[in-house]
Amino acid sequence: MLLSIVVPFYKYKNYLNECLDSLLNSSFHDFETILVLDHNEENIDDLLQTYSSLNIRVIHNEKHGVASSRNAGIKAAKGNYIYFLDSDDYVLKDTLYLLSTCITNQDIVYGQVNNTWNNMANYLEKQAKKLENLDDEEVEMKEMESQQKIQDFISQYNQPESTLLAYYHMFKKKRGSNNITVLSHAYSRTFLLENNIEFNESLTYYSDFPFIIECLSKAKTFNGCLDAIYVKRRHNDPINYPALRQEENEGRFYERMNSYELSYKKTNNEILTEMIDYKIINYYFRHFVKRLRRSEKPEWKNEYFNRFSEVMNLVSDKAISKYSKEKQKMIASLKNKDLNKTLKLVRTFLGKKKLKNMTHNKNTMFKLAYYHVYLKKPILKNVVLFETFNAKNYSDSPKYIYEYLASHYGDQYEFVWALNNGAKPKYGGKVVKRFSFEYAYYLARAQYLVFNVRPPLWYRKREGQTFLETWHGTPLKRLVFDQEEVTAASPKYKQQFYKQRKDWDYLISANDFSTETFARCFMYEGEILDIGYPRNDILYAPNKEELAVEIKKKLNIPLDKKVILYAPTWRDDEYYGKGQYKFELQLDCKMLKEKIGNEYVLLLRTHQYISDRLDTTGLEGFAINVSQYDDISELYLISDICITDYSSVFFDFANLKRPILFYTYDIEKYKNQLRGFYIDMTSEVPGPLLYTNEEVLYAIEHIDEVEQQYSERYQQFYDRFCHLDDGNASKRCVERVFLNKKD
Ligand code: C2G
C-alpha cells in the first residue's frame, strides 16, 4: 500500500464529514485511512457507517493533543508513505493521485497547501479565469519571473538541486518561513522510523515546526508536485469553532519559544537555521511588538519580554543583517533586555507604520482625526446620528424613529444623518457623507447612534454613548452564528460580529420569532426591544390612502392602474467584488407587459447590495425601476401585489394583508448551498412558490383565487410575524431609548 492517511480527530464532526468525503471522492485509491480519536465528545458512529467503504482504521489516542495523535498514527501506519490530513481540512479529487505520481523512493514528496474559507471549486475557477485573462505572453513572463527567483535562491547555497527546490517550495520564498507546514507532503515511513522522527508531545500548538525542520534536515531525497493541493480550512467561526491556532491560551507564548529553541536543536543546516531565524524575527515585528505595546497583561513587558530576549539571542547575525537599521536596533535592544529602549523604538515603529497605512490611502485620513482628535473630545449631549444601509438612503426604521423624535421632541435634540445619495431628511436634519471628517466627528461624539446595519469596523463605542441597532428585517435566511459557512463574507465576519454586537445597547425586534432568533444567531445578550418595526408604522397610518396617492403621483403612476412590486434579495455567491453583487432579472417583463400591461404597473426594485442596473428599455409605460427610491415602505403602501423570493420584505408587506407571490426559481440552490431558512418556505409563507414566468403570470391573472387559497395560512402568518406592529413602534422605541421609560 502506498499511502497511510493519518487523520487526528478531536472535535467538529461536520468538518470531519467533509474531510472523509474528500477521501471517498479521491481519484486515487491505494491508501488506508487511520482515524486517531483524541477524546472526542461527539459520537461519530454514523460517520463511520457512512464511510465504511474507506475501511477506516480507528485508533484511540491515550494521551491528548495533535502531536501525540499524529505519532500514534505514524506507529499504526502500514503504508510506504504517510500523509497527515487534519480532520477539519480536505483534499481535492486528484491531490493524492498527483502526489503518488511523484513517489519514486524519495524521503519526502511535497505538495502545496491552499487556504480557503470558501469552496475550493470557486477558488480554482477564479484561478482559471485569472489565467484566461492573462495572455500567453504575460503567463510566460510570470513563469520566467518565478523561475528566476528559484534560480537565485539555488545559486546561494551549495546543496543538491532537489533539496534546494524542496526548501524553496516549502518555504515559498526567502524569509517566508511563516508558510512552513507539515501538511500537504508525503513522508516515507521508513525514513521517519529509521531517523526516529516524531512530533514533540510537550507542544500543543507548535509541534509542526520542529518536526518539519527535522525532516528537512535529515531527508536526502525529495520530489514534489505543487498541484497536489491540500485544502486548509480557514475557520470562519473562531468564537464557537476555533481552529487550534485561533485558541487563546496562557501557555501559548512559552510554547512558541520552546518550539523555536527545539527547532534549532534539530538542525545544523545553514538554510534551515536561517529559516528559523526569519521565523523568529517575523514573529517579533508582526506580532510581538503589538502585544508589547498594547496588551494589558503585564507579562508581555516582563516574563515574556525576557524569555523572548533569550530566544532572540539565538538568531544569527547574518539573518539580522538583512533587516533595516531601524529593525536591527529593535532587535539589539530586545537582545539586551532593555525594555525602556525597546518600548520607545516599538512606539515609533508602530506609529510610523500606522501613519503610512493611513496616508497611503488619503481617503482614510478622517480615521486619524477620529482616533486622535474626535475621540478625545467630550460626547455631545442629545446629538443623534442616524444611518441606514451604509448611508445609501433615507429609509427603514432609523427614518421613522427620527421623524417621530424630530416631530415630537425636535427642540431637545440635534439630528445628523449619514446620507450619500443626496436625500434630504424631513424637518431639516444635518446631512454628512459617510466616511468623511464630519462623519467621523459625529461617530465619535454623538450621544445616540441609530443604525440599521453595523457601524464601520473602526468605530469605538464610548462610555456615554447609546447605540440603538434597529436591524433591517425579520430573519428568513440564516444569519451569522446560525450560518455554517459565510460564503460571501471574510473569514473574520463572525469574529467581527461577535465583537461589534457587544456595542449595541438596544436591538429592535419586529416579532417574538425575531426576538428569539436574534438572541441566538447574534449571540446577543443586551436588551431587545420587542416593539414591532418602526419602518412599518406607515403601513398603519390613518392617512395611508392619501399618502399612497401622493407617492403614486411622485412616481408618475396612473391612479387607475394597479401596482405590482417585484423586490428580490441578493445571492451570496453572485458578486463582482466586496459588497457588489450581481443580479440578473429572471422575471420576463416583456411578456408581463404584453399580458397584463393594461391593468398593472410593475415596480422593479433590486436589493441595496446589487450593483447591476436594470435595463427597462422597451418596458416604458409598464415597468419602473425603483431601485434608487429611498424608502421601500412607501412602495409597499402603493402596491397591490408583492412578488419577492427570500427577502425579508414579505414579513413587512404582510402587514397590509395584500397578496404575496414568491418567485423562487433557484430555491434549491439558495436553501441548500447558500443560506438555509428558518421557516419552511413550502408550508409557512403566506403565498405560493412559483418557479416559472408562466406560473407568475397565471398567479397574477388569478390573484383573487390565490388570495382565497392562502387566506388561512396568511392569517396564521400575520398572527405570528405581524402581531406587534400597530403603527406605534417608533413611539415605543423613542420612549424606551430616548425618554428612558420602561413599561
Ligand atoms: N430591501 C429593499 N429592496 C429589496 C430587497 C430588500 O429595499 N429588493 C430592504 C427591505 O427593507 C428588506 C431589507 O432590505 O427588509 C433587507 O433585505 P433582505 O432581502 O431581507 O436581505 P438582507 O439585507 O440580507 O437582510 O434579518 C434580515 C436579514 O438580515 C436579511
Side-chain angles (χ1 to χ4, degrees), residues 417-685:
W417 264 92
L419 277 171
N420 287 351
N421 71 342
K424 300 237 176 328
K426 219 170 158 180
Y427 311 111
K430 183 181 170 73
V431 175
V432 298
K433 281 246 154 67
R434 190 166 186 259
F435 289 5
S436 63
F437 281 92
E438 275 187 307
Y439 177 78
Y441 177 85
Y442 287 107
L443 203 59
R445 302 195 61 191
Q447 184 186 358
Y448 296 94
L449 298 125
V450 181
F451 279 58
N452 88 330
V453 290
R454 290 174 296 150
L457 286 171
W458 44 272
Y459 166 69
R460 297 283 170 271
K461 170 89 179 290
R462 295 174 73 181
E463 185 105 2
Q465 278 191 322
T466 298
F467 195 99
L468 166 59
E469 174 63 53
T470 71
W471 204 243
H472 50 271
T474 294
L476 165 71
K477 324 178 240 182
R478 290 187 177 277
L479 289 172
V480 203
F481 290 106
D482 283 343
Q483 265 177 286
E484 271 199 16
E485 294 286 340
V486 185
T487 324
S490 96
K492 288 193 181 141
Y493 174 67
K494 290 188 184 179
Q495 197 167 19
Q496 287 164 346
F497 209 109
Y498 184 75
K499 194 159 157 269
Q500 288 190 294
R501 62 84 172 109
K502 282 191 179 150
D503 291 341
W504 307 346
D505 296 292
Y506 303 98
L507 169 65
I508 298 186
S509 148
N511 41 52
D512 293 348
F513 168 78
S514 297
T515 308
E516 190 189 304
T517 309
F518 286 158
R520 187 189 60 246
C521 75
F522 295 156
M523 296 179 74
Y524 177 70
E525 286 153 6
E527 183 171 342
I528 298 189
L529 306 177
D530 40 0
I531 53 170
Y533 264 157
R535 70 181 185 184
N536 291 340
D537 283 351
I538 188 175
L539 309 178
Y540 291 88
N543 61 339
K544 67 179 186 185
E545 307 299 336
E546 292 104 82
L547 283 174
V549 173
E550 271 174 43
I551 299 163
K552 272 187 162 180
K553 281 187 184 153
K554 199 156 70 177
L555 285 165
N556 287 327
I557 299 173
L559 293 177
D560 59 334
K561 286 265 172 86
K562 286 192 275 182
V563 177
I564 300 173
L565 170 66
Y566 178 48
T569 193
W570 55 290
R571 272 114 185 107
D572 304 56
D573 65 336
E574 295 175 22
Y575 53 90
Y576 295 109
K578 202 176 158 206
Q580 291 181 307
Y581 289 84
K582 297 182 196 173
F583 184 74
E584 247 175 73
L585 196 60
Q586 303 283 339
L587 195 67
D588 187 346
C589 299
K590 290 217 165 77
M591 181 271 282
L592 288 177
K593 179 179 176 184
E594 218 169 274
K595 302 279 188 189
I596 57 166
N598 287 338
E599 205 182 336
Y600 287 99
V601 162
L602 176 65
L603 304 182
L604 300 172
R605 166 132 182 139
T606 52
H607 187 276
Q608 43 279 347
Y609 283 177
I610 305 295
S611 52
D612 281 328
R613 296 252 160 184
L614 296 176
D615 181 6
T616 49
T617 343
L619 299 170
E620 294 79 6
F622 173 62
I624 307 176
N625 182 0
V626 289
S627 304
Q628 304 305 319
Y629 192 87
D630 276 71
D631 185 3
I632 194 170
S633 307
E634 292 186 0
L635 301 177
Y636 298 152
L637 207 55
I638 60 167
S639 300
D640 299 280
I641 300 173
C642 173
I643 308 178
T644 184
D645 44 18
Y646 329 105
S647 175
S648 57
V649 301
F650 65 93
F651 291 101
D652 304 84
F653 190 81
N655 279 289
L656 293 165
K657 299 199 170 167
R658 296 176 195 161
I660 303 174
L661 306 175
F662 294 84
Y663 185 30
T664 49
Y665 51 88
D666 57 353
I667 191 164
E668 282 312 312
K669 178 171 123 177
Y670 203 96
K671 185 172 73 185
N672 301 330
Q673 276 178 30
L674 298 183
R675 280 292 185 108
F677 300 131
Y678 287 118
I679 63 174
D680 183 359
M681 291 276 302
T682 49
S683 64
E684 293 181 284
V685 296

Side-chain angles (χ1 to χ4, degrees), residues 22-57:
S22 76
L23 291 179
L24 194 66
N25 292 325
S26 169
S27 58
F28 177 80
H29 302 289
D30 188 15
F31 66 84
E32 60 166 354
T33 308
I34 302 175
L35 182 65
V36 192
L37 299 182
D38 187 4
H39 309 271
N40 54 302
E41 280 167 11
E42 294 151 291
N43 184 325
I44 55 156
D45 290 349
D46 53 335
L47 275 195
L48 295 175
Q49 189 81 38
T50 313
Y51 295 103
S52 57
S53 62
L54 282 174
N55 284 328
I56 300 173
R57 261 207 289 153

Side-chain angles (χ1 to χ4, degrees), residues 289 293-294 326 329-330 340-356:
V289 285
R293 171 122 176 87
R294 301 195 188 123
E326 184 192 17
K329 268 194 207 158
M330 283 164 76
N340 286 338
K341 189 164 174 199
T342 310
L343 280 175
K344 220 172 111 192
L345 292 167
V346 164
R347 193 180 327 126
T348 322
F349 172 73
L350 289 176
K352 272 206 276 193
K353 213 161 136 184
K354 200 164 163 187
L355 197 70
K356 200 168 142 203

Side-chain angles (χ1 to χ4, degrees), residues 184-283:
S184 82
H185 319 311
Y187 306 83
S188 148
R189 188 162 63 89
T190 358
F191 161 71
L192 292 182
L193 294 179
E194 279 177 0
N195 288 287
N196 285 325
I197 302 178
E198 55 176 26
F199 290 88
N200 186 302
E201 296 180 5
S202 72
L203 301 172
T204 312
Y205 301 103
Y206 301 105
S207 62
D208 282 28
F209 193 54
F211 179 88
I212 188 77
I213 291 288
E214 186 174 3
C215 284
L216 291 173
S217 186
K218 291 184 174 159
K220 296 200 174 57
T221 46
F222 297 89
N223 197 359
C225 172
L226 296 179
D227 291 329
I229 286 174
Y230 176 107
V231 187
K232 186 153 188 60
R233 184 188 299 272
R234 299 246 300 255
H235 286 225
N236 69 16
D237 186 354
I239 307 301
N240 295 306
Y241 303 98
L244 207 50
R245 64 180 177 80
Q246 289 166 327
E247 278 177 15
E248 279 302 326
N249 188 301
E250 284 293 305
R252 233 189 142 102
F253 174 79
Y254 286 113
E255 235 204 45
R256 185 190 278 277
M257 296 299 122
N258 295 346
S259 141
Y260 293 155
E261 255 179 9
L262 188 66
S263 304
Y264 279 125
K265 290 194 188 123
K266 295 285 180 193
T267 186
N268 294 320
N269 176 302
E270 185 194 355
I271 309 173
L272 296 174
T273 310
E274 231 177 278
M275 294 297 174
I276 307 169
D277 292 341
Y278 291 139
K279 196 162 172 79
I280 295 171
I281 299 175
N282 281 343
Y283 170 69

